[in-house]
Structure formats: structure tokens, C-alpha cells
Amino acid sequence: MSGALGLLHLGDLQVSYPWSRPRLPGILAALGWSSEGGEGEVRRDPPPRLAVVVPMHLVAALDWHRAWLRQARSILVIREIAEPEDQEVRDDAELREVVGESYAAAEARLGRPVEAIWWTGSAASTAALRGRLEALAARAPVDAGRAMTLPRPDVAPPAAPPGPWRAWETEPLGGLGALARTICVDAGRPAILEIGRDSLALRSLESGAILRSGSPLQRVAISGDGRRVLGRAPAGALVEYGPLEGPRRSVAGIDHATPFYLAPALGLGAAGSRCWFRWLRVDDDDASVLAPVVHEWPCGHGKKLWGYMDNEPVLAEVSAAADAYLSVYDVDAIVGSVVEPRWRAAGPLQVPVWPPHDPLRALFTCPDWRYLDGRAPAAGLADEDCRGDAPAIALGPDAEHRYALGLDREVWRLRGEEAVQLGAGGEGYAIYSADHRLCRRGRGRLLCGGAGWLWIEAEGAIWREPIRGGERVRCVDVDRRIDAALALPGAANAVLIHVVAPPEPAESEDHEARRVPWFHERFELRLV
């Protein structure tokens, strides 16, 4: 597809349901073309030359998708005023000029060579648009660039020595997510981001010393290398992105969202709230929306429990080849296979297939049967109130070892409308392939995993074990209750988590199914 002209409807990238009806096929039909089907090509970024249909009510979406659109070398903005409600703009030249100023301002902010053409939907306008697209498609090919992947080291990453237990308080309304989105490895030093009212401070998990600092943000995620942050501006809903030390720039289209994944090396990030999130396109200088995650039901993150308790994001991880992802929320986790759009030929163009179908997508949850009310388990889990906690789960390095799943608690898997119990509790852990075949089982309690490693609690100790199988390495003895653990990005280290109970237990909806209580802020952490 190198050098091809891409065509997309920006409205299609706003939908997140597989049954949504995309707008682009209708426009292709009007132009006399259709998608040719077939597998197509998966691409993180658009083709180097791109035509974008932008309806009048979605001019702001040019800012929402800025960093992604800027990956194209040149852009044609198709200013669509073809809907019945656009009649006044079509008929009034002065009004169209005013609307054109809004388009032009957004186009200028893309920072790329941008051409523009109006499309009214009439036969003459459609013929002019087709001719413009054919002329652009006939231009000399442009190098499409190389696909991005995370580095695959030939040797295991070095492991820092275990550290002492350290008291830690998260930002208010913390929970496990407030820890997961703030751990990193800064120049080989395991670290965690301390979020204060007046500043951000990156502290060593080994010594506790401040390594670097920056201006304040809230609900912030730090990149795995500790270089960049994405979070809400103080006392506001706007999200900012940039170096830890600053300066930063605003990110449009994700106001009020919680960032929970940031990987500039892979070019991706994630930010969302209850039940769904958006994939972000990030580089060293900018971040913007790529596309929403496709939210299916019942195989989708729950929205809220009991009518009021929001199910919030905890962490996400994407495979090195971006052919799989793991997203973990408070009460459920998803392993999916679609992160990036797939592009297919349509006449002289390439068009994205969106919303996509993800046949390998699966949801996992540890149930809380107090709210089953006599229903079948599958119906109870679909209703969300019976989802008690996300299981211990880790994304694997390849399709044969796609994910590791803790079976020390009762765990169910949902695929489509099918719910299957995988473990009843006390059964160790299991490794599954991308098509959900059982590959092997292991003994001990799975705590977390990452960078090709698993961390297991067994026989009074914490062990590190290759996810593909092999000899375990003893890390430390267990000297207190381990409630959860988090793998450090790209490193052979993890952080053990002990929940420090409040002096006086408060009334709560928490149940024994939950490892970390809702909104908990006080912990003890240990590097292993």
C-alpha cells in the first residue's frame, strides 16, 4: 500500500460499537467505488497521502485526531455539507464563508500541507470530488514509512535487586489504577510518580530519592521510560501531554478521561472512563485520539455496578507487534486483537475498515454472586452487578503464549454471549494462546506479568518465571499479605502491593472478591 491515497470519514472513527453503521461506504458508492474486501493491511498511521471527509458538525475532530492525521505527508480535507440540515450552508454563500473560516483554522493547526474541497452531495459536486481524488491517486508514490514495534531484546532485561517495603499514598480516590499508571523505569532505575498538589516527583523504588520532578497534573499516566506524562491539568478537565519536566500541550477530545497507558516508543496510549476508552496516537511531541476501542456487549467492560459505582480503568498493555492488547478495569479485563485500523483497496484508494470485528476478543472476571438473584451465571455476569473483580492476568509475548491467567480465585471468560468458568479457585495459573487454547498450567498464585516474565507466589516466596516456561528464580520471602502486584514496563522487576487497612473500617460495598478496595489510597510497596 506504499504511496497509496487513503480516504476516510472522520465520523466513522467516533463510533465504538461493532454494529454501528459507517458513513464511508455510502460516499464510496456515490463516487462509483466500493471496498474490494480481503484481508487488507493493518496500519497504525494513515497512508502518506490522505483525504478526510469532515462533516460540518465534526470540524473539531480535526483537533481530536491531530497527532494521528499529522502522520500523513499531505491531506485533502473534504468539507462535507451534504446532509439535509446543511441546506442553509449550501444555499448561502456568506454563511458558507463563515463555516469555511472554522474549517480553515482547524486545517492550519494540523501543521501539514492541506488542501480543501467542498462536497455538497450533488451530482456535479460528486463528479468534481471523484476527479480530484483520481488526480491525487495518480501522483507519484510516496514512501509509507516503516511500521513501529517495540524492541525485542535478544537477552532478558536486567533486574534491579529487591528493595525494602515502603509506605505509599496515592492521589485521592486512588485504587489499583493510581499505582499502575505511575510506575516506570527511568534510565534503568525502577521508579514511581508521586502526585502532589504543587508538583510531580519521580521517586526511586530502590532508595526513595527524588529522581526528577515537574509541574503538577492529576490522574496522570507516565510512560514506561519515565520521560513523558499524560494527565489532567490541575483544577480542570483538560488533558495535557509532554515531558515530565515540561512544557506540555493540550490534548483535545479526551476531556474528563483518565489516561492509563502511555508508550511513545510504540506510538500508542489510552485514556478513558467507565466501560470504554480511546486509543491515542502519541509521539515525542504530541498526542491525540486514534480511535475508540470497540465496545461489544456483553463482552465489554462494565459501566457501573449497583447503579452508582463506576467501573474505572486500571491498566493497559499492547504487544510489541500491536496485534494484541490487554485492558484491565476495576471489575473485569479484556484481551483483544484489534488496536489499529485495517485498510483495504477501493478503486484507486485505500479505505479503513471501521468499526472492526474482533473474533478473538474475550472478557475475564472474578464473580460476586451476591447479586445473581437466581439467574444463570452467564446472565448475571452480563448484567455487571455480578462482576466482583478483575483477575490476575498478564499479556504474553506471542500468539502461542497470548495471556497468563490466575486461577487462584473463581474466574469466568466471556466470548460473545458465551460464558465459561475457567477456574473454581486454588488452581494455580494457566497460559492460553491467542485463540484461547490452554497451553500449560503452573503451580502457585499468579501476581502479575510483563516483559516475558511472570511473578508467582508459592511455597512462602515470590518467584520470577519465564512465561514460555523454564526455571523459576526466587526473588524474596513472603513476609506479609500480598494483595496484588504490578510488572514494571519492559523490566524483569515487579512491585508487590500490600493494602494498609484504615484505622477504622468504613462502610463499603467491597467484597472478598476484590483484591484492592475501591478508591483505596494507603499501601506498602516493595520492588522485587
Side-chain angles (χ1 to χ4, degrees), residues 129-482:
L129 176 58
R130 176 176 171 129
R132 187 74 167 269
L133 293 172
E134 287 176 330
L136 289 174
R139 291 181 183 176
V142 177
D143 182 14
R146 297 172 58 189
M148 298 174 62
T149 58
L150 287 174
R152 299 174 182 265
D154 295 327
V155 296
W165 284 102
R166 297 187 180 280
W168 191 260
E169 291 193 16
T170 70
E171 61 184 321
L173 305 179
L176 187 60
L179 296 172
R181 59 180 176 261
T182 55
I183 59 173
C184 65
V185 180
D186 176 57
R189 301 169 297 189
I192 185 169
L193 191 64
E194 184 176 51
I195 303 172
R197 177 175 297 180
D198 301 318
S199 67
L200 300 176
L202 190 63
R203 287 192 178 272
S204 168
L205 282 166
E206 297 172 284
S207 66
I210 294 179
L211 305 176
R212 292 183 294 113
S213 61
S215 56
L217 289 172
Q218 301 169 348
R219 309 288 285 184
V220 59
I222 191 166
S223 61
D225 62 3
R227 297 287 116 184
R228 280 167 174 74
V229 290
L230 177 71
R232 297 184 195 174
L238 297 179
V239 175
E240 296 180 352
Y241 171 74
L244 172 59
E245 296 90 342
R248 307 178 190 128
R249 65 185 304 171
S250 62
V251 181
I254 54 172
D255 298 354
H256 301 284
T258 296
F260 63 105
Y261 176 67
L262 187 57
L266 190 56
L268 293 171
S273 56
R274 60 187 190 183
C275 86
W276 66 280
F277 62 92
R278 289 181 172 93
W279 291 114
L280 308 178
R281 179 61 170 93
V282 301
D283 55 31
D284 288 343
D285 304 313
D286 201 3
S288 76
V289 176
L290 194 166
V293 70
V294 176
H295 182 83
E296 300 188 59
W297 188 253
C299 185
H301 290 299
K303 184 175 183 180
K304 60 171 61 180
L305 278 70
W306 321 304
Y308 68 90
M309 187 67 80
D310 289 343
N311 184 31
E312 295 286 356
V314 173
L315 62 86
E317 186 178 354
V318 178
S319 66
D323 59 349
Y325 74 89
L326 167 68
S327 58
V328 179
Y329 270 54
D330 282 329
V331 300
D332 42 33
I334 286 176
V335 173
S337 63
V338 176
V339 178
E340 306 159 323
R342 183 180 295 276
W343 297 73
R344 292 175 178 165
L349 311 174
Q350 293 288 330
V351 297
V353 181
W354 200 271
H357 177 56
D358 188 353
L360 299 180
R361 178 186 176 96
L363 179 140
F364 306 85
T365 188
C366 296
D368 176 357
W369 297 127
R370 292 179 297 167
Y371 301 93
L372 188 57
D373 295 331
R375 296 170 294 177
L381 295 174
D383 191 38
E384 302 181 12
D385 285 352
C386 291
R387 300 184 186 183
D389 197 11
I393 188 169
L395 192 67
D398 52 52
E400 187 63 24
H401 308 84
R402 186 76 290 164
Y403 60 95
L405 184 68
L407 303 177
D408 55 299
R409 298 179 291 170
E410 183 179 354
V411 180
W412 286 69
R413 180 177 65 205
L414 279 70
R415 295 187 65 197
E417 298 183 358
E418 178 189 42
V420 176
Q421 184 177 355
L422 299 179
E427 300 178 24
Y429 68 92
I431 309 296
Y432 293 88
S433 65
D435 57 0
H436 306 288
R437 290 179 294 104
L438 176 64
C439 297
R440 70 176 180 89
R441 290 181 178 270
R443 56 185 174 83
R445 174 193 173 203
L446 176 66
L447 296 174
C448 65
W453 297 101
L454 302 175
W455 280 266
I456 310 293
E457 180 182 1
E459 301 168 353
I462 305 298
W463 305 79
R464 186 178 71 241
E465 174 183 302
I467 193 171
R468 293 187 174 99
E471 185 178 356
R472 288 182 171 182
V473 176
R474 189 184 186 103
C475 299
V476 295
D477 292 335
V478 175
D479 59 359
R480 66 198 67 188
R481 184 188 70 249
I482 308 300

Side-chain angles (χ1 to χ4, degrees), residues 10 54-65 102 106 109 252-253:
L10 211 51
V54 184
M56 187 172 62
H57 69 280
L58 278 178
V59 174
L62 288 169
D63 288 313
W64 301 346
H65 296 272
S102 176
R109 289 191 292 271

Side-chain angles (χ1 to χ4, degrees), residues 7 23-35 119 126 130:
L7 174 67
R23 294 284 310 278
L24 188 59
I27 296 174
L28 285 173
L31 292 168
W33 297 316
S34 63
S35 175
W119 180 57
T126 300
R130 176 176 171 129

